Amino acid sequence: MTEFIDSEEVLCGKYTELFELFGRSKNVVFFTGAGISTAANIPDFRGDKGLDKAPINIAQMGASERDLDSKMPTFGHRAISVLLERDSRFKFLATSNHDGLHQKSGTPWEKSANIFGTAYIEECLACRTQYTRKVIVPALHRKCDNTDCNGKMKKTGVRYGQTVPVGPLRLAEEAAKAADLVLVLGSSMTTSPFCNLPSLSDNYVICNRQTTPYDKGAKICIHDNVDNFMTRLLHETLPYANLDLEYRQEFVIKESDSYIIITTPQHNEPAVFIDTAIARNSAGHSRSFECSLLGVFSLPRESVEDGSEVEVEFKEGFEVENVKVVYKAGEVNCGALVKHLQF
């Protein structure tokens, strides 16, 4: 289905109608699809440049997933986060996306449901404990954080044809039934069970650049970019809101057995956002850290002098400057990737 945007005259009429409907609403729920993330250079599936136009293989899908760490939330993601935080009429968010951009934008897990799971949550297959990660961890050789269990870990994100997680689906259903207005953003509404949920509310509005099978039952169908939709909605509700955000990934340089390693402060999370790390001593001699398949950077302890400068370069896509940390023996030396997001 070809994408299009309504004329400005048509949009003005539809947004006026939307805000009249919104003015009568006290329980508003967002449902977001892949279209909210295209502005972050994450392709959707059925858009004009969607993945169904040029299918990728499994290896490419794995590489694309690893790239998610460097993808930053869009204006739409951040605006939803701010509305959920500051306007009591907005209650909940349900998404079909794996990319974790809603959480990066500040949306708390307890106010959201990832219907098809997420690349940032692992579940232990033995004890069934779930762990929320700040990075995309390697898929292989992952063990439970509980050393008494030591079970194998599996990411919760599901592919087409796989069974969706029961918990998030139940939360999304309950939120849709309780809502007096559901806003569907950036979804072609063709993937079950996501597409069946918004119509559980008596009033749902669709914003998408294509027609959908559920347009007939919608109160309003707005053909527009998600960011433009959220710009207008935010202007109507919180016109002076500051959306600026700091994205931060911390790392530590410390001793581990006979090695100096670089990892994250979180247990069992590798510093996969780091591209290279080089230690330089007072004489100017340098040596590069080696990175294991699990994403842990290391050097033999005797290779790093006390007081050496460790320069860390981050992976392409983050677009931040290198960070230098002075290594002090016997201490946990801290550094961080910091990116300031302005909207």
Side-chain angles (χ1 to χ4, degrees), residues 36-310:
I36 194 174
S37 297
T38 54
N41 294 319
I42 299 175
D44 57 16
F45 192 76
R46 293 180 177 84
D48 286 352
K49 298 180 181 179
L51 294 176
D52 65 338
K53 308 299 186 298
I56 58 177
N57 59 40
I58 297 298
Q60 288 174 310
M61 290 175 67
S64 297
E65 184 176 85
R66 291 193 297 272
D67 289 341
L68 289 179
D69 279 334
S70 63
K71 302 297 184 183
M72 294 295 123
T74 65
F75 176 89
H77 292 99
R78 182 57 178 152
I80 289 174
S81 172
V82 168
L83 288 173
L84 287 170
E85 176 188 0
R86 304 179 194 175
D87 191 321
S88 61
R89 292 170 291 184
F90 295 92
K91 304 296 186 182
F92 199 74
L93 158 76
T95 185
S96 63
N97 301 334
H98 291 184
D99 55 35
L101 292 184
H102 283 297
Q103 276 64 51
K104 280 185 182 178
S105 72
T107 298
W109 291 100
E110 61 269 19
K111 285 191 175 184
S112 61
N114 293 274
I115 295 173
F116 296 102
T118 170
Y120 287 89
I121 294 182
E122 292 183 296
E123 182 176 52
C124 176
L125 297 178
C127 67
R128 294 299 174 182
T129 302
Q130 290 192 345
Y131 298 95
T132 302
R133 308 301 186 192
K134 292 190 68 177
V135 298
I136 300 289
V137 296
L140 300 176
H141 308 297
R142 299 286 298 166
K143 296 292 185 180
C144 184
D145 287 16
N146 182 353
T147 53
D148 291 333
C149 172
N150 209 35
K152 293 182 179 180
M153 302 290 285
K154 182 180 183 297
K155 294 179 184 178
T156 61
V158 299
R159 305 294 184 189
Y160 283 105
Q162 294 181 320
T163 303
V164 301
V166 174
L169 178 60
R170 183 179 66 250
L171 290 173
E173 288 178 341
E174 293 172 352
K177 289 177 180 178
D180 51 26
L181 177 61
V182 167
L183 302 177
V184 183
L185 308 180
S187 174
S188 61
M189 296 288 283
T190 55
T191 303
S192 178
F194 179 90
C195 64
N196 304 321
L197 299 175
S199 58
L200 295 176
S201 171
D202 291 334
N203 299 306
Y204 68 92
V205 171
I206 298 176
C207 173
N208 196 49
R209 293 184 304 199
Q210 297 170 310
T211 58
T212 83
Y214 287 79
D215 288 0
K216 186 175 181 180
K219 290 293 182 182
I220 314 168
C221 292
I222 300 175
H223 303 105
D224 200 1
N225 295 316
V226 173
D227 278 3
N228 189 43
F229 179 98
M230 290 307 303
T231 296
R232 299 199 191 210
L233 181 59
L234 197 70
H235 181 75
E236 181 73 15
T237 53
L238 297 171
Y240 304 107
N242 180 5
L243 272 63
D244 291 354
L245 182 69
E246 181 183 272
Y247 172 78
R248 186 179 186 90
Q249 286 281 19
E250 297 181 344
F251 62 89
V252 294
I253 305 172
K254 62 182 181 180
E255 298 174 8
S256 178
D257 298 325
S258 58
Y259 289 89
I260 306 299
I261 66 170
I262 306 177
T263 184
T264 63
Q266 293 78 27
H267 178 60
N268 216 18
E269 287 188 25
V272 294
F273 47 88
I274 293 177
D275 189 33
T276 62
I278 299 174
R280 295 186 180 89
N281 62 21
S282 56
H285 298 136
S286 62
R287 186 166 176 181
S288 297
F289 281 75
E290 295 182 359
C291 183
S292 72
L293 291 175
L294 299 182
V296 176
F297 288 82
S298 66
L299 268 179
R301 185 183 297 180
E302 63 270 17
S303 301
V304 185
E305 294 180 2
D306 188 17
S308 292
E309 180 183 78
V310 178

